[in-house]
Each structure stands twice: as C-alpha cells, then as structure tokens.
Amino acid sequence: MSPAIAAMKALMESLRQDDSTTLQEFIEKMKDAREALSDTDVSVVSVSSGCELFMRFITLKHLELEQAADFASCREILLRRGEDFIKSMEENRKKILRSSNTLIKDGMTILTHSRSRNVLAVMTEAAKQGRQFDVFVTESQPDCSGCRMADELKAAGIPCIVILDSAVGYVMERVTAVMLGAEGVCENGGILNKIGSCTVATLAHLKNKPVYVMVESYKFIRTIPLNNSSLPKKYLHRASVLKSDRDLKSAHPLVDYTPPQNLTLLYTDLGVLPTSAVTEHLIKLYT
Amino acid sequence: DEDGRRPHARSFTQHKANIWMNKEGPKRKKNRKRSKKRTPLIGTCTSSNPGEIIGEPPQRPTLVSSEVEALQVESPKSAELGNCLRQSKVTSPRKGPSQKPLCNTGSQKTEPLLSGLHVTQPKHTEIASGDPSKTALKVASSNGPVSTLFTLNVEQTQQRASKIKSSKTANTESMKITQSKIRTSESETQPQVLLEGKTKLKQVNKKSPQKTSSSSELNVAQGCKLPFIPVSELLVADTHSSSIPAVNVENTHSKPNVKEKNTSSVTEETHMPNLPPMQFELNTVIMSEAKNKLDHLCNLLDSIVIEHSGKEGYSTNTVIPVLVDQTAKGTSEVAVIPSKFESLPGTVSECQGEKTKEDIEHERKARKEAKAMKKKGGDKSKSENDKQENFNCIKVEKKKAVQQGKPLVVSAVTEEKLPRGKQEPSGSSVPSQGTSQESTTAKSKADLKRERREKQEAQRQAKMIAKAKEVEKQTKGQEQVHLSNDKAKPAPKKKKSAGEGAKRSRDRRIPLLGHLPLHFSQLPIYPVNCDDIHPAVRTLGLKMRDRIVDGSTARVVSTLAALKRFINDYRTPESCDLSRDLAEKLLPNVAFLNACRPHAIAMDNAIRFLKHKVNSIEASMPEAQAKDELRTAIDDYLQENINLASSTIASHAASLIDDGDVILTFGYSAVLIEVVEAVCKGGSNISVVVVDSPHPSSGVSMVKKLSSMSVTTYYRLITDVTHIMHKVTKVVVEAEAVMMNGAIQGICGTAGLALAAATHDTPFIVLCHTYKFCNNDLTDSLVINELGDADSIVSCPSREYFGLLDNWRETQNLNVVSLVYDVTPACLVTALVTEQSVLPTSAVPVIIRRNYADILGQD
C-alpha cells in the first residue's frame, strides 16, 4: 500500500473517531492530523498531496455541507465521501494498468529505477499477458529498493538484472524505454522521485529513449521547482533527519526533481497525459 | 513650440499622418460588427477601404466619393425632370453625400437604399414640426459631432469661404476644388483631373469649378445657381421674421443627426452624423415638389453608386482626411438652409425672389459696415458687428468659437492646437461671411469680386494680428493666404516634387515589417478639433506617443482612467441606448489612442473588457446608474487585476527567491521592484543585476529605485549579459503580454536574455498579470509588434561616428529598424508568476479559457 493511501485511511479513521461539534473545529483538527502524518518517516510528497486532495474532496461542496441540519449529518456526508474517495483511489492502479495496456511489447528492454508499485504492476500485467521483455533495475542506493524490486519482478517471472546506479550510462544504449514511478508530479509536469531518477531521465533524454512515468493523479502537487536546489527541505529529507540537528549539506537527499523536458508521457488514472496537461488538471482541481 | 515655429510643415506632416492612419491604422478586427449593418452597396466600398472603421479619417474618403457621385446623379435627373424641377435638381447633389453616410451607418444589409431613405424621412418631418428650439438645443449641447464640424480647421474654412462665391452647386464644386488644390499643393498624387475623369462629371459640373477657380466668369452654371439661392435667402429672412434664432437652424440640423444616429447606431463617425439631416431635408423638399419622382431618383442614384463603387475605393485611399472634413462641413452648412426651409409652414419656391433680393441688399450693407468696423477695431469688434448684422450666422459662429475654445483649454498638451485656437476669431468670422455670400454671389460678378477682395482683406488683417502676437501665427496666416491664392493658378510643381520626396522618405517601409505602423516622433497625428475624442483621451494619447506614459501596466491604468473620465462626461442622447451609443462613442477614442501609439495587448484586453461591460448594460437601466456601474467596474478592474495582483505576484515571486540569490532583470519593472521589496522584507539578502537596452534606457530608473532600497545593484547593457550570466542564479523579467501558447511578449531583448539564461541553465522567471494574457499565438516577433523610433538608434553619441546615419532614409537599401517587442518561446520560460499562482507556461490556455471566456469569446 502506498503511503499516501495509508495516510488517507488514517485520516479517515480520525474522521470516524472525531468528536468535534462544528465544521470549523473539525477542519482544524484534520489539519493537525495531516501535519502529524507528514511528520512520519515516509515520502512526504505523496502523503501531503494525497491528504490535501482527500480533504479537498470531502469538503468540496461547502454548499451541501452548509445545508445539512447539524454537524452530525455533516459528518455523515464527510464519512461517505471519504470512503468513496479512498475506494476510487484504490482503483487508480487498475486504471493505470488499463491505460498502459499496450505500453510493453515483446522484445523490449526496459530500464527502471528504484521500486515503484505502479511500474511493478504494469510489468506484472504485461508478463501475465505473455509478453517477453527484459528489465534492468538500478540498485538505487541508499535503501537498495532496486533489489527489492528485482526480487518481486523475478517472482513474477520477469527476467531482470540489477545494475549499479553509476552504470545507468553504460546500459542506456541497450534500453528501449525507461519506466519510472513518481512520488509527486509538479505543476509543470516534472516529477519528484527517488534520488537518481533525474540521472536516468536525463541520460535517456540524451539518448532519445522514451521515459514513461506511471503515477496516480493524487500525486499531482501545486508547485513548480525552478531547479533541484530550490526543492523544499521537507521533500528532500525525512522528518527525523530534519528534526535532528544534522548538517543537511552532508545529508543525502532522498528525492530529486526531473524537469518535464526529460519526460515523455505520464500514465495516470486520468489517462495518458503529456507533461503539459498536468497543470490543467491541477487548476481544475484547486480553483 | 517647435510645432509652432513651422506650422506649414506641421500641417503638412499632419496630413501625412492622417493618410497613414487612413491606410493602415485600424485594420484589425473592428470591422466585423459594423459590417453587418451596412448596405451591400456601401459594404463594397467600405471593404475596399481598410481604414474605414476607425474615427474620422477613414470615413471621410467615402464622403468625397459620394459627393462625386451626387454630381453625377444630377445629370440623369436633369435630363428627366427638366427645368421646372431646378430646385430639386440643385439639391440632389447634396442628397448624394448625405445618403452615403446614412447607408454606411444605418440601414440593414438587406435593406435597399430606397427604404433607408423612407425610414429617415418621417423622423425629420416630425422634428421640423415640433418645437425645434427647445429639444434641439439640448441635443446640440450633448451632441459632439455637430460642434466638431464647426471647430474644424479655421484656415480651411477660410479658404472655403473665400471660394464659395456662387450657388450651392458651385459650392460643392468649389470645395472639391479646394480639396484637389490642397492635395496637389501637398504633393498628393490625386489631382483634380483624376476626380473628374473618374466620375465623368457633367458639363455643368465641369464648368462650375472653372468658374469658381477663375472667379471672373460665371457663365453656364449660373442658370442652375439662381433658382436655388433665392430659396435660401428667403429662409434666412423667414427665420428672422419669425424670431427663431439661428441656433434653431443649427438645432434642427443637429437633431436629425442624433436621431439618425440612434436608429442607425453610428458612432464611429464624428462627421457623418452631420450629413444625414441634409438628406432628410432634401428628401422632404423633393417630396413636396416631386414626390412621385423620388423613387425613381433613388433608384438612379443607387445604380450609379453601384456603378462607381469600385472607383470609390481608389479615391478613398488618396483623399486627405482633413480635406474631407472640410467638405463635410461645407455640406452640412449647406444643409442648414433646407432645414430652415422645412421648418417653414408649407410655403415653397415661387414667390421667394423679391423677398430674397431685399434681404440680400440688407445684408450686404450690413456686411460693409461690419467690414469697415473691422478695419478699425480688429477682430473682436468685427465679430460683434457681424453679430448685429447677421444674427443668425453669428450665433452659429459663436457656438463654434465656444466649442473651439473648450477643447483648447482642457487639453493643454496638444501643442498643435494652440496656434489654431488663437487665430480663431479671424477664422470664425470668415465662414459667416461665406454663408451669407452664398446668397449674394449670385447677383453679379462685381459683387463677387468685391466680396472676394474684402475677404482677402479680412484674411490679411487676421494675419497682421497674428503677426503682432506671434511669429508662428504669422506663418500660418501666410499659408492660408497662399493657399487661397492658389485656387486661381495650378499648384506649384516644385513644391509637389519636394513634398513627394519627403513623403517617400517618410513612407519608407521596411521589408517584412511593412504591416507595422510607422513611428512618428514629432508629428501630430490626428485632426485636432473634433469633439468625439475626449480631452483626457487626447492628453493621454499624446503622452503615450511621446512615451511619457510607457510600459503596458501604466498604459492600461491611464487608459482606463481616461476612459473613465470620458464615461463621466458622457451623456446619452435622447432616445438612444446608452450601451449602444456609448460603445460607439468609445470607438473614436480608442482609435485615437491606437493612432498615437499602437495598443499594447494588455490595453486591448482592458478595452475589450470595458466594451464588454458597456455592451452588457441593459437598455432599461437609468443613465446615472449605468455610468456608476461602469465606473465601479473600471475601478474594480484596476484594483483586482493590477493593484492587488501586483502585490500577490510580488509575494509569489518572493517565495521563489532565496537568500543570497543574484537576480538579473531587464529594464524597468514596477512589479519587480515590489518583488525585491518583498524579498528584502522577508530578510533575504539578494543582489540585483539590471541589464538595459540603450534605446530606451529605462533601467536607469530601476537602478535608482533599487539602490535607494539599499539593494546591491549592478547595471550593465544587455550586450555584455553573457559575462555576468554565469554568476546569476535567477533571471526575473516582466512580460508585456503572454500568448495563448505560453510565448512571452516582452520588451525587445527579452528573448535574447532568455536564450542566454537557457544556455547557462539559469531559471527564467516571468512576472505577468493574468489580464495581459492574450488569445493570440505568436511564433515570431514580427506579426504583432511596434516600430520604435529608428532615428534614436542611428543617433550615435560618440564623436567619431556622430550623425553618420542621420539621413538613412535617403540611403537606398538601408533599413533601420527599431522594434519594440520580441517574443520568447514558451520552452525558455521556467515559470510564469501570476497573481493566481506560479504556473508553467502550459497553464496559460487554461487560465485564458477560465478567466476570459466571456470577454475573449466576444470577438
């Protein structure tokens, strides 16, 4: 389960146990809950964006809420909506699978970076359909999530090779496509993902290899990083690192920003989008 | 002052400017709505004339052509109706010109010309029968156009007056001559011959010009002159006896204008409205005398107009707007008389002869007296005498004088106005003579000559006065005299060729950029005294032309402020929709601004917003409330889209800038100063590099402001931007406009800066208000652009190369170009900071669709 979905469920739980008497009080409490969730050692990007979207969705039509007789009925509405939302979020992966149905073809060699549930699902689905393809997986230091990915791929019967992070340039010429997940998609279509994604995407761009990103739409966030150095600290480091008084300059960042120029397509539950379409969905969502 | 010193050259260049505007200014868009309303007939001629839509200059040409047509109409008609219908025959030429504007403005596309005439008729009679003095007075006060006519160039009216010696046919003819004369003297390529040849004037018509020009022979045309003059005299006398002042006449004259306007929703035209009344009157005259012939006449006219519609297009292009003004004035003045005639109960032609003779005698004596007084006492006393002598005329003149004076006071900026305004007394007296002369001239050659002499004397006197006052005036007076003398002899050839040369050098079009209006650094662009341009707008226009108001934001703010004042002073004419009338009255103002300097895209958006607001006002809404609504709408627009938006943009942009950043910016940007303020307030320490283009170096004021904020500032030219780019962490510029595809229109040099930033992988941040988003796609910077002052580029301050290229216009194959804007492709822009949020350029179409759907969808 992705951390964002988990966070939404946690919010849902706190909503159920909520004992506030007014809508305003409730919203305040939920804000506290979201901050608490962002404080945990998970990928903050998707958690914060997922939580924000969740809150936005359940309180979307204030009119209906205002028409409710009392807060009890209000909470009914909120609960119902929250459950609907989480259910639809869980369906997202299926939608992505549907949209990326024909992405992987026989004989392809795919390079992927780190571990992404979406990428894994797409590859597994393709393998189930009997497609023959090879996968390179980067080791993806510092947490070696690439090794976990390789294990899961092998379990699905997909031939895969773990390569060093520094070997991306070496294998790139043999690769037909690069597939990435994302922790967040910025407004301009660039992605925030596990550190090293930028390297992979940039090298792929250099060698004219397509870079596909499998991502759910709740990971869209309303920011535009000018470059990697302008990324907020809370995205780069885990909460525990930020809290400890370590020198952040020597601390390894966990995510990097890949500019949209290096990406080819985004496979989302909203369909296959070019990077420039992200902003439209965000504007629709938040205004 | 500079303008004053060389009035001759100025008026010269002014005409040029008008021609320019006529040719190219208003090409865009504005045609659409209006074209629907035109008759097919007129539609053809208007479409051939691209400049037709905006303001006066474009439409004047049609006037001229219509006049020509009218003269043609005369021939078939005379053949048909015979001598007994002299009077209607004489009037028919006037009917022609008046009919034209009507068609232009009014009737539906499918509606035949004929029906248009019928529709207007009842209105006129109604007005005539009603109490004209009361209702019409109101109208006159609220209605600009009429006064506009009279405030037209004094010099020209003088000329005209001196030339009008004979009957009204001669009148129109002489006007034509003046036109052609002036045209030739100004080295216009359109000689009199061309007009004649084109229109195949009848013999009568051909002879009348000769007569007027030579002034000694009044042979053939006299026959047709005579019958009409008595009528006019009678009318004057009648108005006297019935103690209805001349104002009445003007009022009746102006009233139908307004009515006509209402029905046909003409507002672009200032001069046009003056013409319709003539038509009505003429129509009614015809109706009374030869009702059954009217339809036939109309048909004839119709067919002839259609025949010559192709030629109109040609003539319209070459005609000088100001001159046509003159014609408009002449025709309208002529129209006064028939209107009087109409207001009279029933009595028509036959018995008028004796009365008029008496009257003429009377008037002549009075005029002699006046002239004698004039010689003694100068202008003021003269005008007073005139008043005593001819109450009617003087009243009209006074009105003129008042209206001339008013704009002068209000718009102090219009330098070119000053000389004219000062000469006003002498000038205003002359037309009155002219109108009265119209009647007397028919009497004898001797009279004519003498009057002419008197008139010249008056002119000379005016000149003397001017001399005493100021040198500039003197030169102008000379010019007047010179021009009036010109009518006897053909225009000097030398002048013509020289003028042509000058024109060509001015005309100099740059390859690829021929579609852009040329930059005028010193020239007065518009005819000065027309009332439909609000003084505030006029002031602003000149300020924008002189780059006193510069930068898209400043221009939008001041434009809206000026238009707000215009709305403040606006009064809805009777029986007129505020929304329709105001929208149309808005057009010449907007056109004027565009003529002074092509609109910025942001201005276009703001004006479109205002028009949208005006159009959406319901007809039932009271005027005060509507105006209030508009004013608050403008205020809100400024507040939301500019003031609040600027601060929001500043805070958004400040969030993108970190401590220790080195910001590079280009030229002056008020928003960027706010951004730097916000960053400094946030405790960050940044330094700013201001790069600047040498023409104009707006960055200097930026540097001044920044250094006063104790921000570390570097100032350098854009030419060495690559030297410093590697030290810059962020490039922040302000956009003039943002296109649908995310491309940025900025001050020339922005695109180069963006390329340099991309080369050094420096984020390129663009600040832009969303109201500057535009629904155009620009792929290059040539389609929508503006030519700057090319002379400023070639003026080199260094001694070694000083003045080397000063006469670049004469150099073949050399094109000096100074473009104002360039376009930065969207891919070079990292982020677009708007008041909504920090957006990628791909969000631009979304924003446009969401925010401007109602307005942008309009056109």
Side-chain angles (χ1 to χ4, degrees), chain A residues 187-188 224 227 276 279-280 287, chain B residues 763 837 839-840 842-843 849-850:
Chain A
E187 191 155 5
N188 57 359
I224 300 182
N227 44 28
S276 57
T279 179
E280 187 174 350
T287 54
Chain B
S837 64
L839 296 170
S842 51
R849 244 180 288 137
R850 291 172 69 89

Side-chain angles (χ1 to χ4, degrees), chain A residues 187-189 222-227 229-230 261 275-277 279-280 283-284 287, chain B residues 656 658 729-730 763 765 827 830-831 836-840 842-843 846-847 849-850:
Chain A
E187 191 155 5
N188 57 359
R222 291 206 82 193
T223 54
I224 300 182
L226 296 175
N227 44 28
S229 54
S230 67
Q261 291 87 339
T275 53
S276 57
T279 179
E280 187 174 350
I283 290 171
K284 267 185 200 163
T287 54
Chain B
L656 295 178
D658 304 321
T729 55
K730 270 149 204 168
I765 301 166
C827 59
T830 313
Q836 299 201 354
S837 64
V838 183
L839 296 170
S842 51
V846 188
I847 299 285
R849 244 180 288 137
R850 291 172 69 89

